[in-house]
Amino acid sequence: MGDPREPPEGAPDGGSGNEDEYRSVVFDESFVRAARIQELSARERLAGSFGRATRPRVRLGPLGTVPRQALALLLLILLAFGAAVYFGVRSPTGMSARPEGSQLTVSLVALSPASAVRVVADPADPFAALPTGYSDGAIGLGTPTGAATEHFSRVEVTKALDTVQRYLVASSLTPATLVQGATADVRAFVTPGEQAQFDASVTQPVDDRHHALTGWLVRFDPARVALAADTVKVTGAMRIDEADTGTLQITTDHTFVYALKPAGAPAGAPVTLETVRRQLTFQFDRVDLASAQLRLVDSVIQAGPEPCTTSMAGFLQPVLATPQGTQVAPPSPIDPGNHAQPAWQVCGVLAGS
């Protein structure tokens, strides 16, 4: 009797008819998904797809069939990448990219005496002839009380004002800065983006509107000048503003009066008053506020009595008085058509010299 598993007509040629030899072929899910065509479902055939019994599978290039989960994952990755790019360009606080490189612009104006420069009447009280309104040192800075602006809190504004005041003390009132050549205390306030510009101004000062050291601080050549009094008389004010939504701006305008004498001169030597007006513009972002540093972006300096023929980029060059009076040549007329002379180099006449 034949094998009941064989068809009635017998086993086909070339085979035993035993299905065991096909058990090694496994049509698992991955094999089915990789098929290029797929049989239509009963519902699709009833819907009218009589012209064909199969449909092609959707493929993506040479990778074959892409599961829906993979497409969803790819879309999620693209969205995450786009969000990372967006928030990387736009910081959470709305600040633009922090500026780097040269930012400070300096204008130096020498004030030449209209007549002979004479010593003060009383070396023991060199500031006796000053008009009212001047105060001693930091008191004369007139630092206002911090008040909130549209985008900065009262605490942030107060911290910016405190940083500016300490910078002005270090750069305008400290003897080590004025006549001893010290610069480290002033540099400590400068934001990292401007420190290279500051260092270049220290090592190679030049009146090119960006690298005059006297735009950053007040100093006199210790080989020529000494302080006749440690007190510095000051008058002026500060203004609070915003450069943009992420930048706090403080503008200061102060006049400093220094009592000077020749270097090495004994007590009681002839004293000369040097007047320096500093109009400075500072900017802060929130990183600067957190580090108690500042960006000095504009500095206008008027100083006199100064000769018009000597550069003030490295040191202020006061005309020191003598009992007989020191005469200085008046400033030369300026020819606007002479392009060989830089337009920013200006000399004026000092009033009340």
Side-chain angles (χ1 to χ4, degrees):
M1 180 180 293
D3 191 333
R5 293 173 297 179
E6 293 182 358
E9 64 275 13
D13 295 340
S16 64
N18 193 329
E19 64 183 12
D20 291 342
E21 62 180 294
Y22 299 104
R23 290 180 179 175
S24 62
V25 180
V26 180
F27 297 96
D28 58 9
E29 184 179 359
S30 62
F31 181 88
V32 174
R33 287 183 179 275
R36 294 178 178 271
I37 61 175
Q38 182 180 14
E39 184 180 0
L40 295 176
S41 66
R43 179 175 298 177
E44 290 171 326
R45 289 196 296 269
L46 289 175
S49 302
F50 298 108
R52 54 189 175 89
T54 62
R55 64 168 176 268
R57 284 186 177 272
V58 178
R59 300 176 62 82
L60 184 61
L63 299 178
T65 304
V66 177
R68 291 181 181 179
Q69 294 89 337
L71 290 174
L73 179 60
L74 179 61
L75 179 61
L76 182 61
I77 292 174
L78 291 175
L79 289 174
F81 178 76
V85 171
Y86 175 78
F87 288 109
V89 173
R90 182 181 182 273
S91 66
T93 57
M95 294 186 298
S96 57
R98 304 196 73 220
E100 299 291 338
S102 297
Q103 299 169 58
L104 173 62
T105 300
V106 180
S107 297
L108 300 178
V109 182
L111 300 178
S112 180
S115 59
V117 181
R118 299 188 181 276
V119 298
V120 299
D122 184 3
D125 188 10
F127 305 109
L130 287 181
T132 58
Y134 284 85
S135 300
D136 291 351
I139 299 174
L141 296 175
T143 306
T145 302
T149 63
E150 184 177 359
H151 299 97
F152 289 85
S153 68
R154 180 184 63 83
V155 173
E156 290 173 324
V157 174
T158 300
K159 188 167 186 178
L161 289 169
D162 177 69
T163 302
V164 168
Q165 176 175 300
R166 292 188 295 117
Y167 175 88
L168 291 174
V169 170
S171 65
S172 307
L173 303 176
T174 305
T177 300
L178 297 175
V179 292
Q180 297 174 21
T183 60
D185 289 346
V186 177
R187 187 185 189 275
F189 288 97
V190 178
T191 192
E194 285 190 317
Q195 287 180 358
Q197 183 184 9
F198 180 89
D199 293 341
S201 301
V202 173
T203 57
Q204 292 184 319
V206 59
D207 187 7
D208 63 352
R209 300 205 73 195
H210 297 289
H211 298 94
L213 182 57
T214 47
W216 298 94
L217 50 85
V218 176
R219 76 168 182 171
F220 305 99
D221 186 354
R224 294 184 58 246
V225 177
L227 293 177
D230 289 337
T231 300
V232 178
K233 291 292 185 177
V234 187
T235 186
M238 305 184 190
R239 187 179 74 249
I240 305 166
D241 200 357
E242 290 185 6
D244 54 52
T245 58
T247 305
L248 183 65
Q249 182 167 288
I250 296 178
T251 303
T252 66
D253 192 353
H254 295 97
T255 300
F256 302 85
V257 181
Y258 304 91
L260 307 176
K261 64 181 181 179
V271 176
T272 305
L273 295 184
E274 170 86 349
T275 303
V276 180
R277 180 181 178 182
R278 303 184 78 197
Q279 189 176 70
L280 310 176
T281 302
F282 303 91
Q283 292 184 349
F284 299 82
D285 59 26
R286 286 180 171 82
V287 176
D288 300 327
L289 291 173
S291 61
Q293 292 179 307
L294 49 78
R295 283 178 280 143
L296 178 56
V297 297
D298 190 67
S299 176
V300 180
I301 308 299
Q302 296 176 342
E306 297 271 336
C308 293
T309 56
T310 305
S311 172
M312 299 193 304
F315 298 98
L316 298 182
Q317 306 285 350
V319 177
L320 298 179
T322 63
Q324 298 75 26
T326 303
Q327 189 71 43
V328 178
S332 302
I334 296 175
D335 179 8
N338 180 12
H339 293 178
Q341 183 75 13
W344 68 83
Q345 291 183 350
V346 180
C347 187
V349 176
L350 177 64
S353 58

